[in-house]
Amino acid sequence: MKPVFTIMSALLLAVIATVNSCPPSDRAALLAFKAALHEPYLGIFDSWTGTDCCHNWYGVSCDTESHRVADINLRGESEDPIFERAHRTGYMTGFISPEICKLTRLSSITIADWKGITGEIPKCTSTLSFLRILDLVGNKISGEIPYDIGKLNRLTVLNIADNQISGRIPASLTSLSSLMHLDLRNNKISGPIPRRFGRLGMLSRALLSGNQISGPIPGSISRIYRLADLDLSMNKISGSIPASLGKMAVLATLNLDCNKISGTIPPTLLTSSIGNLNLSRNGLAGKIPDVFGPRSYFTVIDLSYNKLSGSIPRTLTAASYIGHLDVSYNHLCGRIPAGAPFDHLEASSFSHNHCLCGKPLRAC
């Protein structure tokens, strides 16, 4: 009986192992994904052996119930021992194979900071209906954002910063009703911000700087109640600043520097919850609104390199805190008010205006 029992036990263990391992189709998709990439220094794919891709495959995690591949997490900059031993960050070439879309239960894809990965975002990515995180920051990925990315109604994070993505922001992106973090910085994206951008009701961070985005700032942005950080700097944005941005409940950082924005500064921006305001290097004209008060708290106000005229608002001395103020390279005139915050600012904050005087500049 003992040999029979041993055989039965071995068969039972084999069945259990098979049930608890990843499906052969997921393993095949991962190996096809791996085949399109080349990582010469760290050997991160050396662990991708055996039949069970849910067990000790570097950067791969599976759902505990279905045993389907749920997460791919491959970062080229990490505190993992494999990087510490090599005393270097990662470098990987190749492209992201469309075979990744056969992993239909993927919840997150992180293939970040590898510096040498090229190709496009697979168009089939928009079919991964369980996807919550798509993080491809820090590569050399080109092409366009998939036009139907709006199908990913569970997506909470879209980070494709520091790549070579071109084309427009697809209109369907505004259908990502669960999106909380959008980072498109430092690409080659052009065209306007979609008019219905305000439909992204869960968004808390919208980082679009360092592109070639043109056209106006959509007023609909002000309807995004949770938006705390809006960075549209270093683009080709034109038109005026919607006054409604200053009425947003939690907007704390507004960076619009290095654009082609014209018109005047809406007074609402200076009486809002914004604490970090950068409007420098635009074409703003008119006077700086004299609306500061005890509720005004700014770590940074940068209005430099514009066409502002008139005098420096006296109400600035009533602000509860102004950490850094820069009004240089404008057409301002008159006496610089005495007292805080002016007593800790340097002359460079006021230089290259028409006729400002008083500390820290020359006496009037």
Side-chain angles (χ1 to χ4, degrees):
M1 286 293 290
K2 193 170 183 179
V4 175
F5 177 77
T6 302
I7 293 169
M8 292 296 292
S9 297
L11 288 172
L12 183 60
L13 289 172
V15 170
I16 292 172
T18 302
V19 170
N20 289 335
S21 64
C22 71
S25 58
D26 280 14
R27 179 179 178 274
L30 283 172
L31 291 177
F33 162 77
K34 169 190 169 183
L37 297 168
H38 177 59
E39 190 283 296
Y41 301 113
L42 302 173
I44 65 164
F45 291 126
D46 290 351
S47 63
W48 287 31
T49 59
T51 58
D52 186 5
C53 58
C54 292
H55 185 64
N56 290 336
W57 281 37
Y58 185 89
V60 177
S61 301
C62 296
D63 180 78
T64 54
E65 294 183 2
S66 68
H67 305 290
R68 298 291 307 278
V69 174
D71 304 293
I72 295 176
N73 186 3
L74 300 173
R75 292 191 178 275
E77 296 179 2
S78 172
E79 296 181 358
D80 189 278
I82 196 172
F83 292 84
E84 293 182 3
R85 287 194 297 269
H87 302 290
R88 62 168 298 138
T89 57
Y91 181 78
M92 190 186 297
T93 57
F95 63 95
I96 300 173
S97 170
E99 293 292 313
I100 199 173
C101 299
K102 292 181 179 178
L103 301 168
T104 56
R105 300 289 295 194
L106 274 175
S107 175
S108 70
I109 300 173
T110 299
I111 306 167
D113 298 314
W114 290 104
K115 307 173 188 69
I117 294 177
T118 58
E120 300 185 355
I121 302 171
K123 291 180 173 58
C124 58
T125 302
S126 57
T127 65
L128 296 172
S129 59
F130 290 89
L131 199 63
R132 297 179 183 274
I133 297 172
L134 180 59
D135 185 351
L136 306 177
V137 63
N139 292 293
K140 291 184 179 178
I141 297 170
S142 58
E144 300 184 4
I145 301 170
Y147 76 95
D148 55 351
I149 196 168
K151 291 180 179 179
L152 300 176
N153 57 18
R154 301 186 188 194
L155 198 68
T156 60
V157 174
L158 175 59
N159 187 353
I160 55 173
D162 301 322
N163 279 286
Q164 298 174 5
I165 306 293
S166 59
R168 297 187 169 210
I169 300 172
S172 75
L173 185 140
T174 65
S175 298
L176 296 174
S177 57
S178 299
L179 194 66
M180 298 179 184
H181 179 98
L182 175 65
D183 195 344
L184 309 180
R185 288 177 294 179
N186 302 324
N187 279 287
K188 300 177 181 179
I189 296 168
S190 59
I193 300 171
R195 187 169 52 87
R196 296 184 177 182
F197 199 81
R199 295 174 63 193
L200 298 170
M202 298 297 291
L203 201 63
S204 62
R205 302 189 78 198
L207 311 176
L208 281 67
S209 65
N211 283 286
Q212 299 166 21
I213 297 170
S214 58
I217 301 170
S220 68
I221 289 179
S222 61
R223 295 201 294 268
I224 307 176
Y225 181 82
R226 293 174 171 82
L227 190 63
D229 189 351
L230 177 61
D231 189 351
L232 305 179
S233 61
M234 294 182 286
N235 279 290
K236 299 179 180 179
I237 292 170
S238 58
S240 58
I241 302 172
S244 56
L245 293 183
K247 299 178 182 179
M248 298 177 67
V250 297
L251 187 64
T253 298
L254 178 60
N255 291 332
L256 302 179
D257 49 299
C258 301
N259 279 290
K260 299 180 178 180
I261 298 170
S262 57
T264 58
I265 299 173
T268 53
L269 295 187
L270 306 180
T271 58
S272 66
S273 61
I274 298 171
N276 189 328
L277 178 65
N278 193 339
L279 307 180
S280 66
R281 298 181 186 273
N282 279 289
L284 293 167
K287 295 184 177 182
I288 302 172
D290 197 1
V291 294
F292 297 89
R295 296 180 62 186
S296 302
Y297 188 102
F298 289 91
T299 54
V300 174
I301 304 179
D302 194 342
L303 308 178
S304 62
Y305 291 91
N306 277 289
K307 301 176 182 178
L308 299 170
S309 58
S311 59
I312 294 176
R314 292 189 178 276
T315 53
L316 267 167
T317 59
S320 63
Y321 180 76
I322 304 287
H324 175 75
L325 172 69
D326 193 343
V327 295
S328 62
Y329 291 90
N330 278 287
H331 306 310
L332 300 172
C333 200
R335 183 186 294 272
I336 297 172
F342 304 100
D343 52 8
H344 72 263
L345 296 173
E346 297 181 0
S348 58
S349 295
F350 306 96
S351 64
H352 294 87
N353 277 284
H354 275 183
C355 50
L356 284 179
C357 61
K359 285 188 176 182
L361 299 181
R362 60 177 174 81
C364 294

